[in-house]
Amino acid sequence: MDDEHPPVDEINPTFNGHSIGHWEGDTLVVDTIGLREDYPLENSGIPHSANTRIVERYNIVKPGVIVLDITIIDPEVFVTPWEYSSTFKYAPDFRIQEYVCTENNRLIE
């Protein structure tokens, strides 16, 4: 939180990138760079470059409801920033299921 990104060429690219957060009033802003180029954005197959920047803005619009506004900036791939929103509602009975990532799993042939 409230930090600065190192220069892009000093970041080892990862699936999730390098994220820094800060508050703008009641909005949590998360800025991400350093994403691996060989992994598509959002599992959608959309390509991106090493210069991709993702800015997420989280807002609680009413009790139990969060709106997430996402902006993807990549001038090498997109003519203009790609923007979209998602709304999340609190579901007290929802349970996250286990997800097994098989990349680099030496127990699977």
Side-chain angles (χ1 to χ4, degrees), residues 35-48:
L35 295 156
R36 283 179 50 168
E37 288 182 80
D38 64 333
Y39 191 72
L41 296 176
E42 302 290 319
N43 293 323
S44 62
I46 295 171
H48 63 94

Side-chain angles (χ1 to χ4, degrees), residues 6 15 24-25 28 47 62 80 91 94 103:
F15 287 115
E24 292 179 2
L28 174 61
K62 63 181 179 180
T80 60
F94 178 76
E103 180 182 337

